[in-house]
Structure formats: C-alpha cells, structure tokens
Amino acid sequence: MNPITHQSARPKDAASFLGVGVSTFWRWAKERPGFPKGRKLSHRCTVFDLSELVAWRDAQIGGK
C-alpha cells in the first residue's frame, strides 16, 4: 500500500513536494487541466491530497 495514501498537505507543503514555488503551485491549480482540486476545510484553509498530487506528477512525467 502506498505510504502517503489519504494524507493531505497545505499549499506551501504541496508546492515544496512538487519542487515549485507557492505562486507556481496556485497557477498550476488554476490553469492546468487535470491538476488535483483542493479541498476547502474553512474559508482560509485549503488542502490537497498527496496521493492525487503523486498521480498527477507521475502522469506529467509519463506524458513528456
């Protein structure tokens, strides 16, 4: 089983995980088709599922 299943990350940590800055991360979330959607926990708190980010990242590597 994947050790990061069902773990979530705030945008700053998710951006670091993908190796990009926070501004780039938010731009990708807005503009890139298929980018995992964040889940709003409150008005000022959004999290992203790490397993979805891994799958998206791996699809980008395979698509090049």
Side-chain angles (χ1 to χ4, degrees):
M1 186 170 179
N2 190 341
I4 61 170
T5 302
H6 301 294
Q7 289 184 352
S8 298
R10 299 285 301 265
K12 182 179 177 182
D13 296 324
S16 178
F17 174 76
L18 293 176
V20 298
V22 176
S23 296
T24 299
F25 179 84
W26 280 117
R27 186 173 65 249
W28 287 0
K30 181 180 178 182
E31 298 175 355
R32 290 199 176 195
F35 193 86
K37 300 294 182 201
R39 284 142 180 97
K40 289 189 99 36
L41 300 182
S42 69
H43 177 68
R44 296 183 56 170
C45 182
T46 302
V47 296
F48 291 82
D49 186 289
L50 285 177
S51 62
E52 291 177 10
L53 290 173
V54 168
W56 180 85
R57 179 198 63 195
D58 292 348
Q60 303 312 300
I61 294 170
K64 289 186 178 181

Short mmCIF file of all heavy atoms in Angstrom, two decimals:
data_model
loop_
_atom_site.label_atom_id
_atom_site.label_comp_id
_atom_site.label_asym_id
_atom_site.label_seq_id
_atom_site.Cartn_x
_atom_site.Cartn_y
_atom_site.Cartn_z
N MET A 1 0.84 -1.18 0.00
CA MET A 1 0.00 0.00 0.00
C MET A 1 0.89 1.24 0.00
O MET A 1 1.92 1.29 0.65
CB MET A 1 -0.90 -0.03 1.22
CG MET A 1 -1.91 1.06 1.25
SD MET A 1 -3.06 0.70 2.60
CE MET A 1 -4.10 2.09 2.45
N ASN A 2 0.47 2.25 -0.71
CA ASN A 2 1.22 3.49 -0.80
C ASN A 2 1.25 4.18 0.57
O ASN A 2 0.20 4.42 1.16
CB ASN A 2 0.57 4.40 -1.84
CG ASN A 2 1.41 5.59 -2.18
OD1 ASN A 2 2.30 5.96 -1.43
ND2 ASN A 2 1.13 6.20 -3.30
N PRO A 3 2.44 4.52 1.10
CA PRO A 3 2.53 5.08 2.44
C PRO A 3 1.92 6.47 2.58
O PRO A 3 1.69 6.92 3.68
CB PRO A 3 4.03 5.10 2.73
CG PRO A 3 4.67 5.12 1.40
CD PRO A 3 3.74 4.36 0.49
N ILE A 4 1.65 7.18 1.47
CA ILE A 4 1.09 8.53 1.60
C ILE A 4 -0.39 8.58 1.25
O ILE A 4 -0.94 9.62 1.03
CB ILE A 4 1.88 9.55 0.75
CG1 ILE A 4 1.83 9.20 -0.72
CG2 ILE A 4 3.29 9.68 1.24
CD1 ILE A 4 2.37 10.28 -1.61
N THR A 5 -1.04 7.43 1.23
CA THR A 5 -2.47 7.37 0.94
C THR A 5 -3.25 8.14 1.99
O THR A 5 -3.02 7.98 3.18
CB THR A 5 -2.95 5.91 0.88
OG1 THR A 5 -2.18 5.24 -0.11
CG2 THR A 5 -4.40 5.82 0.52
N HIS A 6 -4.14 8.98 1.53
CA HIS A 6 -5.05 9.74 2.38
C HIS A 6 -4.34 10.78 3.26
O HIS A 6 -4.85 11.17 4.28
CB HIS A 6 -5.90 8.83 3.26
CG HIS A 6 -6.74 7.89 2.45
ND1 HIS A 6 -7.76 8.30 1.64
CD2 HIS A 6 -6.69 6.55 2.32
CE1 HIS A 6 -8.29 7.26 1.05
NE2 HIS A 6 -7.67 6.17 1.45
N GLN A 7 -3.17 11.21 2.85
CA GLN A 7 -2.52 12.31 3.56
C GLN A 7 -2.77 13.59 2.77
O GLN A 7 -2.82 13.57 1.54
CB GLN A 7 -1.03 12.07 3.70
CG GLN A 7 -0.69 10.98 4.67
CD GLN A 7 0.81 10.84 4.86
OE1 GLN A 7 1.59 11.47 4.16
NE2 GLN A 7 1.21 10.01 5.79
N SER A 8 -2.91 14.66 3.48
CA SER A 8 -3.16 15.95 2.87
C SER A 8 -2.03 16.91 3.17
O SER A 8 -1.31 16.74 4.16
CB SER A 8 -4.47 16.54 3.38
OG SER A 8 -5.55 15.70 3.06
N ALA A 9 -1.91 17.92 2.32
CA ALA A 9 -0.87 18.93 2.52
C ALA A 9 -1.45 20.30 2.23
O ALA A 9 -2.27 20.46 1.31
CB ALA A 9 0.32 18.66 1.62
N ARG A 10 -1.01 21.27 3.01
CA ARG A 10 -1.35 22.66 2.73
C ARG A 10 -0.60 23.08 1.48
O ARG A 10 0.39 22.44 1.09
CB ARG A 10 -0.95 23.54 3.91
CG ARG A 10 -1.64 23.22 5.24
CD ARG A 10 -3.09 23.67 5.30
NE ARG A 10 -3.25 25.09 5.12
CZ ARG A 10 -3.34 25.98 6.10
NH1 ARG A 10 -3.28 25.60 7.35
NH2 ARG A 10 -3.49 27.26 5.81
N PRO A 11 -1.03 24.14 0.80
CA PRO A 11 -0.39 24.53 -0.46
C PRO A 11 1.13 24.74 -0.37
O PRO A 11 1.86 24.34 -1.29
CB PRO A 11 -1.10 25.84 -0.82
CG PRO A 11 -2.46 25.67 -0.20
CD PRO A 11 -2.22 24.93 1.08
N LYS A 12 1.62 25.31 0.70
CA LYS A 12 3.06 25.53 0.83
C LYS A 12 3.81 24.20 0.82
O LYS A 12 4.83 24.04 0.14
CB LYS A 12 3.36 26.30 2.12
CG LYS A 12 4.83 26.60 2.31
CD LYS A 12 5.05 27.39 3.59
CE LYS A 12 6.52 27.63 3.84
NZ LYS A 12 6.75 28.36 5.07
N ASP A 13 3.31 23.22 1.56
CA ASP A 13 3.95 21.90 1.61
C ASP A 13 3.76 21.14 0.30
O ASP A 13 4.66 20.43 -0.14
CB ASP A 13 3.39 21.09 2.78
CG ASP A 13 3.72 21.73 4.12
OD1 ASP A 13 4.82 22.30 4.26
OD2 ASP A 13 2.87 21.65 5.03
N ALA A 14 2.60 21.28 -0.31
CA ALA A 14 2.34 20.62 -1.59
C ALA A 14 3.25 21.18 -2.67
O ALA A 14 3.79 20.43 -3.50
CB ALA A 14 0.87 20.78 -1.99
N ALA A 15 3.46 22.51 -2.67
CA ALA A 15 4.37 23.13 -3.64
C ALA A 15 5.78 22.62 -3.44
O ALA A 15 6.48 22.27 -4.40
CB ALA A 15 4.32 24.65 -3.50
N SER A 16 6.22 22.55 -2.20
CA SER A 16 7.55 22.03 -1.90
C SER A 16 7.68 20.58 -2.36
O SER A 16 8.71 20.19 -2.92
CB SER A 16 7.81 22.14 -0.39
OG SER A 16 9.06 21.60 -0.06
N PHE A 17 6.64 19.80 -2.14
CA PHE A 17 6.63 18.40 -2.57
C PHE A 17 6.83 18.29 -4.08
O PHE A 17 7.54 17.39 -4.56
CB PHE A 17 5.30 17.76 -2.15
CG PHE A 17 5.12 16.37 -2.65
CD1 PHE A 17 5.79 15.31 -2.05
CD2 PHE A 17 4.29 16.11 -3.73
CE1 PHE A 17 5.63 14.01 -2.53
CE2 PHE A 17 4.11 14.82 -4.19
CZ PHE A 17 4.78 13.77 -3.59
N LEU A 18 6.22 19.21 -4.84
CA LEU A 18 6.35 19.18 -6.30
C LEU A 18 7.59 19.92 -6.79
O LEU A 18 7.90 19.89 -7.98
CB LEU A 18 5.10 19.80 -6.95
CG LEU A 18 3.80 19.01 -6.77
CD1 LEU A 18 2.63 19.78 -7.36
CD2 LEU A 18 3.91 17.63 -7.40
N GLY A 19 8.29 20.59 -5.89
CA GLY A 19 9.52 21.28 -6.26
C GLY A 19 9.30 22.60 -6.95
O GLY A 19 10.11 23.02 -7.79
N VAL A 20 8.19 23.28 -6.63
CA VAL A 20 7.89 24.58 -7.22
C VAL A 20 7.54 25.57 -6.11
O VAL A 20 7.32 25.18 -4.97
CB VAL A 20 6.72 24.49 -8.23
CG1 VAL A 20 7.07 23.57 -9.40
CG2 VAL A 20 5.43 24.04 -7.56
N GLY A 21 7.48 26.83 -6.46
CA GLY A 21 7.08 27.84 -5.51
C GLY A 21 5.58 27.85 -5.31
O GLY A 21 4.82 27.28 -6.10
N VAL A 22 5.14 28.53 -4.28
CA VAL A 22 3.72 28.57 -3.95
C VAL A 22 2.92 29.28 -5.05
O VAL A 22 1.84 28.83 -5.43
CB VAL A 22 3.48 29.25 -2.58
CG1 VAL A 22 2.00 29.39 -2.28
CG2 VAL A 22 4.18 28.47 -1.48
N SER A 23 3.46 30.35 -5.62
CA SER A 23 2.76 31.05 -6.71
C SER A 23 2.59 30.15 -7.92
O SER A 23 1.52 30.13 -8.54
CB SER A 23 3.53 32.31 -7.11
OG SER A 23 3.56 33.22 -6.06
N THR A 24 3.63 29.41 -8.26
CA THR A 24 3.54 28.47 -9.39
C THR A 24 2.52 27.38 -9.09
O THR A 24 1.72 27.02 -9.95
CB THR A 24 4.92 27.84 -9.68
OG1 THR A 24 5.83 28.88 -10.02
CG2 THR A 24 4.84 26.82 -10.79
N PHE A 25 2.52 26.89 -7.87
CA PHE A 25 1.57 25.85 -7.48
C PHE A 25 0.14 26.34 -7.69
O PHE A 25 -0.68 25.64 -8.28
CB PHE A 25 1.80 25.46 -6.01
CG PHE A 25 0.85 24.41 -5.53
CD1 PHE A 25 1.11 23.08 -5.77
CD2 PHE A 25 -0.31 24.76 -4.85
CE1 PHE A 25 0.21 22.09 -5.34
CE2 PHE A 25 -1.20 23.79 -4.42
CZ PHE A 25 -0.93 22.45 -4.67
N TRP A 26 -0.17 27.55 -7.21
CA TRP A 26 -1.53 28.08 -7.36
C TRP A 26 -1.87 28.33 -8.82
O TRP A 26 -3.01 28.13 -9.23
CB TRP A 26 -1.73 29.35 -6.54
CG TRP A 26 -1.98 29.06 -5.10
CD1 TRP A 26 -1.20 29.42 -4.04
CD2 TRP A 26 -3.09 28.34 -4.54
NE1 TRP A 26 -1.75 28.97 -2.86
CE2 TRP A 26 -2.92 28.31 -3.14
CE3 TRP A 26 -4.21 27.73 -5.08
CZ2 TRP A 26 -3.83 27.68 -2.29
CZ3 TRP A 26 -5.12 27.10 -4.23
CH2 TRP A 26 -4.92 27.09 -2.85
N ARG A 27 -0.89 28.77 -9.62
CA ARG A 27 -1.13 28.97 -11.05
C ARG A 27 -1.47 27.64 -11.72
O ARG A 27 -2.39 27.56 -12.51
CB ARG A 27 0.08 29.63 -11.73
CG ARG A 27 -0.20 30.01 -13.18
CD ARG A 27 0.91 30.80 -13.83
NE ARG A 27 2.12 30.00 -13.95
CZ ARG A 27 3.25 30.20 -13.25
NH1 ARG A 27 3.32 31.20 -12.39
NH2 ARG A 27 4.30 29.43 -13.42
N TRP A 28 -0.70 26.59 -11.38
CA TRP A 28 -0.98 25.27 -11.94
C TRP A 28 -2.39 24.81 -11.53
O TRP A 28 -3.13 24.27 -12.34
CB TRP A 28 0.03 24.25 -11.45
CG TRP A 28 1.39 24.36 -12.07
CD1 TRP A 28 1.81 25.27 -13.00
CD2 TRP A 28 2.52 23.53 -11.80
NE1 TRP A 28 3.12 25.07 -13.32
CE2 TRP A 28 3.58 24.00 -12.60
CE3 TRP A 28 2.73 22.45 -10.96
CZ2 TRP A 28 4.84 23.40 -12.58
CZ3 TRP A 28 3.98 21.87 -10.94
CH2 TRP A 28 5.03 22.33 -11.74
N ALA A 29 -2.76 25.03 -10.27
CA ALA A 29 -4.08 24.61 -9.78
C ALA A 29 -5.19 25.32 -10.56
O ALA A 29 -6.25 24.73 -10.82
CB ALA A 29 -4.21 24.91 -8.29
N LYS A 30 -4.93 26.54 -10.97
CA LYS A 30 -5.93 27.32 -11.69
C LYS A 30 -5.95 27.00 -13.18
O LYS A 30 -7.02 26.92 -13.78
CB LYS A 30 -5.64 28.81 -11.50
CG LYS A 30 -6.62 29.72 -12.19
CD LYS A 30 -6.28 31.17 -11.95
CE LYS A 30 -7.24 32.08 -12.69
NZ LYS A 30 -6.89 33.49 -12.51
N GLU A 31 -4.78 26.79 -13.80
CA GLU A 31 -4.69 26.75 -15.25
C GLU A 31 -4.48 25.37 -15.86
O GLU A 31 -4.84 25.16 -17.02
CB GLU A 31 -3.55 27.65 -15.73
CG GLU A 31 -3.75 29.10 -15.38
CD GLU A 31 -2.55 29.97 -15.75
OE1 GLU A 31 -1.52 29.44 -16.19
OE2 GLU A 31 -2.67 31.20 -15.58
N ARG A 32 -3.89 24.44 -15.14
CA ARG A 32 -3.56 23.14 -15.75
C ARG A 32 -4.72 22.17 -15.66
O ARG A 32 -5.23 21.89 -14.57
CB ARG A 32 -2.33 22.53 -15.08
CG ARG A 32 -1.08 23.29 -15.42
CD ARG A 32 0.12 22.47 -15.17
NE ARG A 32 1.30 23.21 -15.60
CZ ARG A 32 2.47 22.66 -15.77
NH1 ARG A 32 2.64 21.38 -15.55
NH2 ARG A 32 3.49 23.38 -16.17
N PRO A 33 -5.12 21.64 -16.84
CA PRO A 33 -6.20 20.66 -16.81
C PRO A 33 -5.76 19.39 -16.08
O PRO A 33 -4.62 18.95 -16.21
CB PRO A 33 -6.47 20.37 -18.29
CG PRO A 33 -5.42 21.06 -19.07
CD PRO A 33 -4.61 21.91 -18.15
N GLY A 34 -6.65 18.84 -15.31
CA GLY A 34 -6.35 17.61 -14.61
C GLY A 34 -5.59 17.77 -13.31
O GLY A 34 -5.34 16.80 -12.60
N PHE A 35 -5.21 19.01 -12.97
CA PHE A 35 -4.50 19.24 -11.71
C PHE A 35 -5.46 18.93 -10.57
O PHE A 35 -6.63 19.32 -10.61
CB PHE A 35 -4.00 20.68 -11.61
CG PHE A 35 -3.01 20.89 -10.51
CD1 PHE A 35 -1.67 20.66 -10.73
CD2 PHE A 35 -3.42 21.32 -9.25
CE1 PHE A 35 -0.73 20.85 -9.71
CE2 PHE A 35 -2.50 21.51 -8.23
CZ PHE A 35 -1.15 21.27 -8.47
N PRO A 36 -4.98 18.22 -9.55
CA PRO A 36 -5.88 17.86 -8.42
C PRO A 36 -6.54 19.08 -7.79
O PRO A 36 -5.90 20.12 -7.61
CB PRO A 36 -4.94 17.18 -7.43
CG PRO A 36 -3.80 16.68 -8.26
CD PRO A 36 -3.64 17.69 -9.36
N LYS A 37 -7.79 18.93 -7.46
CA LYS A 37 -8.54 20.00 -6.82
C LYS A 37 -8.26 20.01 -5.32
O LYS A 37 -8.14 18.97 -4.70
CB LYS A 37 -10.05 19.82 -7.04
CG LYS A 37 -10.46 19.81 -8.50
CD LYS A 37 -10.22 21.14 -9.13
CE LYS A 37 -10.68 21.13 -10.58
NZ LYS A 37 -10.08 22.17 -11.36
N GLY A 38 -8.17 21.20 -4.79
CA GLY A 38 -8.01 21.35 -3.35
C GLY A 38 -9.34 21.17 -2.65
O GLY A 38 -10.40 21.31 -3.25
N ARG A 39 -9.25 20.88 -1.38
CA ARG A 39 -10.45 20.75 -0.56
C ARG A 39 -10.42 21.84 0.51
O ARG A 39 -9.48 21.91 1.29
CB ARG A 39 -10.51 19.37 0.09
CG ARG A 39 -10.92 18.31 -0.90
CD ARG A 39 -10.16 17.03 -0.67
NE ARG A 39 -10.53 15.99 -1.60
CZ ARG A 39 -9.85 15.73 -2.72
NH1 ARG A 39 -8.81 16.46 -3.06
NH2 ARG A 39 -10.21 14.75 -3.50
N LYS A 40 -11.45 22.66 0.51
CA LYS A 40 -11.51 23.74 1.48
C LYS A 40 -12.01 23.20 2.81
O LYS A 40 -13.09 22.65 2.89
CB LYS A 40 -12.43 24.85 0.98
CG LYS A 40 -11.85 25.64 -0.19
CD LYS A 40 -12.66 26.84 -0.50
CE LYS A 40 -12.21 28.13 0.01
NZ LYS A 40 -10.90 28.58 0.15
N LEU A 41 -11.18 23.36 3.82
CA LEU A 41 -11.57 22.97 5.17
C LEU A 41 -12.25 24.12 5.88
O LEU A 41 -13.06 23.91 6.78
CB LEU A 41 -10.36 22.50 5.95
CG LEU A 41 -9.61 21.30 5.37
CD1 LEU A 41 -8.45 20.92 6.28
CD2 LEU A 41 -10.53 20.12 5.16
N SER A 42 -11.88 25.33 5.48
CA SER A 42 -12.51 26.53 6.01
C SER A 42 -12.24 27.65 4.99
O SER A 42 -11.62 27.42 3.95
CB SER A 42 -11.93 26.91 7.38
OG SER A 42 -10.59 27.36 7.27
N HIS A 43 -12.68 28.84 5.32
CA HIS A 43 -12.51 29.96 4.40
C HIS A 43 -11.03 30.20 4.04
O HIS A 43 -10.72 30.56 2.92
CB HIS A 43 -13.11 31.23 5.02
CG HIS A 43 -12.92 32.45 4.18
ND1 HIS A 43 -13.54 32.62 2.97
CD2 HIS A 43 -12.15 33.55 4.37
CE1 HIS A 43 -13.16 33.79 2.46
NE2 HIS A 43 -12.33 34.37 3.29
N ARG A 44 -10.14 29.98 4.99
CA ARG A 44 -8.73 30.26 4.76
C ARG A 44 -7.83 29.03 4.77
O ARG A 44 -6.61 29.15 4.87
CB ARG A 44 -8.23 31.24 5.83
CG ARG A 44 -8.93 32.58 5.71
CD ARG A 44 -8.39 33.54 6.72
NE ARG A 44 -6.95 33.66 6.54
CZ ARG A 44 -6.19 34.55 7.13
NH1 ARG A 44 -6.73 35.41 7.94
NH2 ARG A 44 -4.90 34.58 6.93
N CYS A 45 -8.40 27.84 4.68
CA CYS A 45 -7.61 26.62 4.75
C CYS A 45 -8.00 25.65 3.63
O CYS A 45 -9.12 25.13 3.63
CB CYS A 45 -7.79 25.95 6.11
SG CYS A 45 -6.80 24.45 6.28
N THR A 46 -7.08 25.45 2.70
CA THR A 46 -7.27 24.50 1.61
C THR A 46 -6.18 23.45 1.71
O THR A 46 -5.02 23.78 1.97
CB THR A 46 -7.20 25.21 0.25
OG1 THR A 46 -8.19 26.23 0.20
CG2 THR A 46 -7.40 24.25 -0.90
N VAL A 47 -6.54 22.19 1.48
CA VAL A 47 -5.56 21.11 1.49
C VAL A 47 -5.67 20.33 0.18
O VAL A 47 -6.71 20.34 -0.48
CB VAL A 47 -5.74 20.15 2.69
CG1 VAL A 47 -5.49 20.88 4.00
CG2 VAL A 47 -7.11 19.50 2.68
N PHE A 48 -4.58 19.67 -0.16
CA PHE A 48 -4.50 18.85 -1.37
C PHE A 48 -4.11 17.44 -0.97
O PHE A 48 -3.25 17.24 -0.12
CB PHE A 48 -3.47 19.44 -2.34
CG PHE A 48 -3.91 20.74 -2.94
CD1 PHE A 48 -3.74 21.93 -2.25
CD2 PHE A 48 -4.50 20.78 -4.18
CE1 PHE A 48 -4.16 23.13 -2.79
CE2 PHE A 48 -4.93 21.98 -4.74
CZ PHE A 48 -4.76 23.16 -4.04
N ASP A 49 -4.75 16.46 -1.61
CA ASP A 49 -4.47 15.05 -1.33
C ASP A 49 -3.14 14.68 -1.97
O ASP A 49 -2.95 14.85 -3.18
CB ASP A 49 -5.60 14.20 -1.90
CG ASP A 49 -5.46 12.75 -1.54
OD1 ASP A 49 -4.54 12.10 -2.09
OD2 ASP A 49 -6.25 12.26 -0.73
N LEU A 50 -2.20 14.20 -1.17
CA LEU A 50 -0.86 13.88 -1.68
C LEU A 50 -0.88 12.74 -2.70
O LEU A 50 -0.12 12.77 -3.66
CB LEU A 50 0.09 13.56 -0.54
CG LEU A 50 0.56 14.75 0.28
CD1 LEU A 50 1.45 14.30 1.43
CD2 LEU A 50 1.31 15.75 -0.59
N SER A 51 -1.75 11.76 -2.52
CA SER A 51 -1.80 10.66 -3.49
C SER A 51 -2.28 11.17 -4.85
O SER A 51 -1.80 10.70 -5.89
CB SER A 51 -2.66 9.51 -2.99
OG SER A 51 -4.00 9.92 -2.81
N GLU A 52 -3.17 12.15 -4.87
CA GLU A 52 -3.61 12.75 -6.13
C GLU A 52 -2.48 13.54 -6.77
O GLU A 52 -2.31 13.53 -7.99
CB GLU A 52 -4.82 13.64 -5.91
CG GLU A 52 -6.08 12.89 -5.54
CD GLU A 52 -7.25 13.80 -5.26
OE1 GLU A 52 -7.16 15.02 -5.53
OE2 GLU A 52 -8.28 13.30 -4.79
N LEU A 53 -1.70 14.25 -5.94
CA LEU A 53 -0.56 15.01 -6.48
C LEU A 53 0.50 14.07 -7.05
O LEU A 53 1.08 14.36 -8.10
CB LEU A 53 0.05 15.90 -5.38
CG LEU A 53 -0.80 17.08 -4.95
CD1 LEU A 53 -0.16 17.78 -3.74
CD2 LEU A 53 -0.99 18.07 -6.08
N VAL A 54 0.74 12.94 -6.38
CA VAL A 54 1.71 11.96 -6.89
C VAL A 54 1.24 11.42 -8.24
O VAL A 54 2.01 11.35 -9.20
CB VAL A 54 1.91 10.81 -5.88
CG1 VAL A 54 2.67 9.65 -6.51
CG2 VAL A 54 2.65 11.31 -4.65
N ALA A 55 -0.03 11.06 -8.33
CA ALA A 55 -0.57 10.53 -9.58
C ALA A 55 -0.48 11.56 -10.70
O ALA A 55 -0.10 11.24 -11.83
CB ALA A 55 -2.02 10.08 -9.38
N TRP A 56 -0.80 12.82 -10.39
CA TRP A 56 -0.72 13.88 -11.40
C TRP A 56 0.72 14.09 -11.83
O TRP A 56 1.01 14.17 -13.02
CB TRP A 56 -1.30 15.18 -10.83
CG TRP A 56 -1.24 16.30 -11.81
CD1 TRP A 56 -2.15 16.57 -12.79
CD2 TRP A 56 -0.22 17.29 -11.94
NE1 TRP A 56 -1.74 17.67 -13.52
CE2 TRP A 56 -0.56 18.12 -13.00
CE3 TRP A 56 0.96 17.54 -11.24
CZ2 TRP A 56 0.24 19.20 -13.40
CZ3 TRP A 56 1.74 18.61 -11.63
CH2 TRP A 56 1.39 19.43 -12.69
N ARG A 57 1.65 14.15 -10.87
CA ARG A 57 3.07 14.34 -11.18
C ARG A 57 3.58 13.20 -12.07
O ARG A 57 4.25 13.44 -13.08
CB ARG A 57 3.89 14.41 -9.90
CG ARG A 57 5.39 14.58 -10.14
CD ARG A 57 6.19 14.21 -8.94
NE ARG A 57 5.98 12.79 -8.63
CZ ARG A 57 6.32 12.23 -7.48
NH1 ARG A 57 6.84 12.95 -6.52
NH2 ARG A 57 6.12 10.95 -7.29
N ASP A 58 3.25 11.97 -11.71
CA ASP A 58 3.71 10.83 -12.49
C ASP A 58 3.13 10.84 -13.90
O ASP A 58 3.80 10.44 -14.84
CB ASP A 58 3.37 9.53 -11.77
CG ASP A 58 4.16 9.36 -10.47
OD1 ASP A 58 5.13 10.12 -10.24
OD2 ASP A 58 3.80 8.47 -9.67
N ALA A 59 1.90 11.30 -14.05
CA ALA A 59 1.29 11.40 -15.38
C ALA A 59 2.00 12.45 -16.23
O ALA A 59 2.15 12.27 -17.45
CB ALA A 59 -0.19 11.72 -15.26
N GLN A 60 2.48 13.52 -15.59
CA GLN A 60 3.20 14.55 -16.34
C GLN A 60 4.53 14.02 -16.84
O GLN A 60 4.95 14.31 -17.94
CB GLN A 60 3.45 15.80 -15.46
CG GLN A 60 2.20 16.41 -14.87
CD GLN A 60 1.09 16.62 -15.87
OE1 GLN A 60 1.27 17.34 -16.85
NE2 GLN A 60 -0.03 15.96 -15.67
N ILE A 61 5.20 13.24 -16.00
CA ILE A 61 6.50 12.67 -16.39
C ILE A 61 6.30 11.67 -17.52
O ILE A 61 7.05 11.66 -18.48
CB ILE A 61 7.16 11.98 -15.17
CG1 ILE A 61 7.52 13.03 -14.14
CG2 ILE A 61 8.40 11.19 -15.60
CD1 ILE A 61 7.96 12.47 -12.79
N GLY A 62 5.24 10.87 -17.44
CA GLY A 62 4.97 9.88 -18.48
C GLY A 62 4.51 10.51 -19.79
O GLY A 62 4.69 9.94 -20.85
N GLY A 63 3.92 11.70 -19.71
CA GLY A 63 3.39 12.37 -20.90
C GLY A 63 4.40 13.15 -21.71
O GLY A 63 4.13 13.62 -22.79
N LYS A 64 5.61 13.29 -21.20
CA LYS A 64 6.62 14.10 -21.89
C LYS A 64 7.34 13.29 -22.93
O LYS A 64 7.48 12.15 -22.92
CB LYS A 64 7.62 14.66 -20.90
CG LYS A 64 7.01 15.74 -20.06
CD LYS A 64 8.04 16.38 -19.18
CE LYS A 64 7.40 17.50 -18.36
NZ LYS A 64 8.32 18.18 -17.52
#
